[in-house]
Amino acid sequence: MTATAVVPPASMARSSVRAGVLLAATGGLVLLALLSLTLGSRDVAPFEALRVFTDPTPSADATVIREMRLPRTLIAIGVGAALAVSGAILQSLARNPLADAGVFGINAGAAAAVVVSAFVFGSMPVSGSVWFAFLGAGATTVAVYVIAAVGREGATPVKLALAGVCITALCGSVTSALVLADPDALEELRMWQVGALGGRYFPVLTQVAPFLVIGLVLSLCTGRILNLLSLGEDLARGLGVRTGAARAGLFALVAVLCGAATAACGPIVFVGLMVPHAARLITGPDYRWILAYSAVLGPALMLGADIIGRLVLPGGEIPVGVVIGVLGAPAFVLLVRYRNLVEL
Amino acid sequence: MRRPLFAATAAAALLLSGCSASDSDAGGDEVAWSYTSGDGETYTAAEIPTRIIAEASSAKALMEFGIEPIGIWASNPIEEDVSLQGVDFSGIEVLGEEWGKIDVAAAAELQPDLIVGDWWPVEEAYSGLEAGVEEESKKLAELAPVVGPAQSDSVVTLIEGYAELAETLGADPDQIAESRTAFDAAVADFQAATAEKPGLTALAVSPYDTSYAIAVPEHAPELLDFQQWGLNVIDPETPDPDFPYWETLSMENADKYQPDLLLFDDRWHPGNEDTLAAAPISSSITAFAAGQTTTWPGYWLHTYSDYASELTRLAGVIRSADENLVQE
């Protein structure tokens, strides 16, 4: 499913159409961000909600919007972009259309690290466990890559997937063992089993923002390399790409992005899996465009799902991870069906 | 394996007393023990029960009056449970430290002649035998009669029920009266404190990451007592339909009620106060921003001494509180 055709020299016309659609999508994202600031369990009139950004008078409404909904919106945007972009990179690297953070044991690693930290240090606030989630995500990504890289051929797609499955199983058993032994760890894990944006405020955002921003900026520059790698190992090498080094660098980027995303709001399924496919559907196989579209559509999906989760239950909310899971499964099936029809 | 043990227990009891609560044929004229339990039934025995297994809170209540059980079961790890502090359970066999799980085989080996737990009128069951408890654990009830005073709209009634039960089991009435006198003094002091601050309002809360639960006094006997004794504990307007013990607000709406004094559920304290502190909306809860917060004993009081020390502590907090913190 990854691109096999040589990238066609993009005509000016096609480029401008893609750019136009991307611009429209970005406009949609901005609209969703505004909705995310104005909609929620607390009733605030839409214009009143936007006025708090120009009017410094302190009020409960201003606190809710500036300090609760704003960081939440920004985290959703950053996490959505990070997951979608890293999903696109992983699918290319692993030559596997089903690759995402879950397949590589990254979520499992983050959860295991949080549970271990709760077991060793007792339960802690989100801003503390973020670091452990990050550590766990990073460590598993490195472990998967190193295990897969052993041997003559290096980190081939199949070896990456197998190493990911192994590490996921290992982390899963560590988590289960500790959770059975220690109620503190169970309490902590509950928050990390399903991704959620509620209860995350500026401290969490400022902790993960540097990683998200740097990771995203660098990722958006990898389009050319990904295009060349998608030509196949031999051709890419023939065109002057040092494939081993390129893969290692891309993997490091994925570790940073997924680690920060998982640390910020726990495991979120489907964004990394589905958004790159949707992007590819719109743009064709050019990774420069796939990455750019992923960086816009990922946040849009996160925000949309989060807003729905805030509104369906009166007085409470459904975690964004659950909403995306529920909406994502049928959407993904449709997408795959549609793509198959196109490819046939 | 359990059944033969139980049979042996029953046989031993018969041998010892010539009669047991469940056997009516062996000349049941002699009734040495009789108690009208929370379920409304009167239980009798030819000998005063001495081999008692009790739910840990009930055990604590009985022990305050000098009646020591031989086995206990708890809903949480005993060391961590705020309701089980200040009592020495050493030498008493622990049969469970997790809700719904009781080691009935070990309980049978203790050969109990009485089992004690709170009676829950709404659930029509004793503690440890409610719906949701593992079926294996419920077999505890087959070992001996289960009794205990009923949960009601006052903690005082519950403690009086334990005092009455303890007396039937041989507790010293003077000791009971002594605890009661100290407790009555604490109540009087609490009433005096609330009388000094007639305008003080309080709200009992339990904050979580994304929600803010407000206790409904109607279903919290200690909060009903506080109201009775002059503290204005706010009644939330819309209790959750499926679990009316609380009104759960989204954290964004945590400023809905503005009390002068914020009471945190002490079972999860200080974690729940830290959680609220991390939520920016807490700056809009006047009492929290002003630091006018304390804890309330959440649904666990079973003894005069615990209740008295909580009332004394709260009376101090009330006396030093600003009753005009929030202007209506």
Side-chain angles (χ1 to χ4, degrees):
Chain A
M1 204 165 294
T2 40
T4 47
V6 175
V7 181
S11 70
M12 282 304 283
R14 277 210 70 185
S15 276
S16 58
V17 169
R18 284 171 179 154
V21 175
L22 185 62
L23 205 64
T26 312
L29 176 59
V30 171
L31 198 69
L32 279 170
L34 289 177
L35 283 177
S36 166
L37 290 174
T38 50
L39 298 176
S41 48
R42 186 188 184 88
D43 279 329
V44 185
F47 289 107
E48 176 63 23
L50 299 179
R51 203 177 55 78
V52 304
F53 289 101
T54 54
D55 180 0
T57 324
S59 71
D61 285 349
T63 305
V64 166
I65 287 157
R66 283 198 297 241
E67 295 175 47
M68 295 172 81
R69 289 190 196 162
L70 180 62
R72 177 181 192 146
T73 303
L74 293 176
I75 292 173
I77 291 174
V79 166
L83 289 174
V85 166
S86 62
I89 296 177
L90 278 174
Q91 286 170 15
S92 156
L93 272 185
R95 298 274 186 75
N96 182 345
L98 293 178
D100 77 343
V103 175
F104 286 87
I106 295 171
N107 292 339
V114 167
V115 169
V116 169
S117 73
F119 184 73
V120 177
F121 305 109
S123 39
M124 59 182 80
V126 179
S127 54
S129 44
V130 157
W131 293 117
F132 290 98
F134 203 19
L135 201 70
T140 37
T141 317
V142 171
V144 167
Y145 185 79
V146 168
I147 292 171
V150 171
R152 225 175 346 161
E153 322 85 66
T156 61
V158 171
K159 282 162 73 185
L160 280 172
L162 289 177
V165 170
C166 287
I167 294 285
T168 305
L170 176 71
C171 292
S173 38
V174 169
T175 304
S176 312
L178 289 185
V179 163
L180 288 177
D182 181 34
D184 267 356
L186 176 63
E187 192 58 35
E188 206 69 12
L189 178 71
R190 233 196 312 227
M191 282 199 51
W192 292 89
Q193 265 176 335
V194 161
L197 288 163
R200 270 81 164 165
Y201 310 111
F202 273 116
V204 171
L205 178 65
T206 47
Q207 274 173 309
V208 298
F211 300 100
L212 289 177
V213 170
I214 294 172
L216 280 171
V217 169
L218 291 178
S219 299
L220 290 176
C221 306
T222 60
R224 213 187 120 263
I225 301 256
L226 289 175
N227 280 343
L228 290 170
L229 283 177
S230 66
L231 297 176
E233 188 78 20
D234 297 339
L235 202 44
R237 210 175 285 158
L239 288 167
V241 180
R242 287 166 53 214
T243 52
R247 284 226 173 79
L250 287 165
F251 238 90
L253 272 180
V254 168
V256 169
L257 287 176
C258 290
T262 308
C265 58
I268 306 270
V269 291
F270 280 123
V271 177
L273 187 61
M274 195 161 54
V275 172
H277 285 287
R280 200 174 288 116
L281 195 65
I282 301 170
T283 67
D286 186 341
Y287 269 98
R288 289 170 298 181
W289 286 104
I290 291 176
L291 289 173
Y293 269 84
S294 296
V296 173
L297 296 179
L301 177 60
M302 278 290 281
L303 278 178
D306 186 38
I307 293 169
I308 291 172
R310 282 185 233 171
L311 297 182
V312 277
L313 281 187
E317 46 182 73
I318 299 179
V320 65
V322 174
V323 178
I324 290 188
V326 170
L327 298 182
F332 189 66
V333 170
L334 275 181
L335 194 66
V336 171
R337 289 286 304 163
Y338 181 63
R339 279 186 60 84
N340 279 347
L341 293 179
V342 168
E343 277 165 10
L344 286 173
Chain B
M1 187 187 133
R2 204 166 295 123
R3 197 151 275 289
L5 262 174
F6 177 36
T9 311
L14 275 170
L15 268 177
L16 282 173
S17 62
C19 170
S20 82
S22 51
D23 272 69
S24 49
D25 55 335
D29 328 307
E30 299 247 339
V31 170
W33 178 78
S34 157
Y35 173 70
T36 304
S37 188
D39 58 8
E41 292 194 31
T42 301
Y43 295 80
T44 57
E47 290 206 342
I48 294 175
T50 52
R51 304 188 61 79
I52 301 165
I53 291 180
E55 194 276 326
S57 297
S58 309
K60 191 178 177 186
L62 292 175
M63 286 164 77
E64 176 150 303
F65 303 127
I67 303 298
E68 187 149 326
I70 54 171
I72 56 170
W73 79 91
S75 303
N76 297 295
I78 288 168
E79 260 179 53
E80 293 166 23
D81 194 325
V82 63
S83 69
L84 302 177
Q85 302 311 302
V87 58
D88 182 11
F89 288 123
S90 58
I92 300 175
E93 186 158 344
V94 176
L95 302 165
E97 290 188 85
E98 187 180 336
W99 192 86
K101 289 199 169 149
I102 304 168
D103 185 346
V104 178
E109 281 185 55
L110 289 176
Q111 309 190 354
D113 50 16
L114 190 67
I115 293 165
V116 179
D118 297 351
W119 171 257
W120 295 87
V122 177
E123 289 151 291
E124 296 197 340
Y126 286 97
S127 289
L129 306 169
E130 307 102 315
V133 163
E134 288 181 9
E135 284 309 311
E136 280 297 296
S137 303
K138 287 190 183 172
K139 293 194 174 147
L140 182 73
E142 295 170 12
L143 301 179
V146 187
V147 301
Q151 282 275 355
S152 69
D153 51 9
S154 168
V155 179
V156 183
T157 319
L158 181 73
I159 303 176
E160 283 168 353
Y162 275 105
E164 190 193 322
L165 173 60
E167 239 184 293
T168 70
L169 295 169
D172 175 6
D174 291 341
Q175 192 187 345
I176 295 175
E178 206 173 295
S179 318
R180 178 64 195 226
T181 310
F183 170 72
D184 285 339
V187 172
D189 182 46
F190 184 87
Q191 283 176 312
T194 57
E196 287 169 34
K197 306 278 170 144
L200 188 77
T201 55
L203 188 70
V205 299
S206 191
Y208 301 93
D209 273 315
T210 59
S211 62
Y212 187 69
I214 302 192
V216 177
E218 192 190 336
H219 299 292
E222 63 279 351
L223 296 178
L224 279 180
D225 286 343
F226 295 170
Q227 287 181 336
Q228 198 73 37
W229 299 327
L231 181 63
N232 303 317
V233 183
I234 296 172
D235 291 298
E237 290 157 13
T238 41
D240 300 345
D242 44 355
F243 198 66
Y245 290 85
W246 304 91
E247 172 177 350
T248 307
L249 298 171
S250 132
M251 193 52 103
E252 287 192 355
N253 293 316
D255 63 336
K256 177 175 174 186
Y257 301 104
Q258 292 286 355
D260 297 306
L261 177 63
L262 203 54
L263 306 170
F264 288 94
D265 187 335
D266 69 345
R267 292 170 301 168
W268 325 113
H269 198 263
N272 52 6
E273 187 158 2
D274 295 342
T275 301
L276 183 62
I281 189 70
S282 58
S283 64
S284 299
I285 302 169
T286 311
F288 186 81
Q292 200 148 289
T293 66
T294 186
T295 57
W296 109 89
Y299 309 92
W300 58 264
L301 290 168
H302 273 75
T303 67
Y304 285 134
S305 62
D306 279 336
Y307 209 169
S309 66
E310 283 294 324
L311 286 173
T312 305
R313 184 183 64 76
L314 285 167
V317 172
I318 290 167
R319 285 204 170 88
S320 62
D322 175 2
E323 61 173 322
N324 297 314
L325 189 64
V326 178
Q327 302 296 337
E328 299 288 315

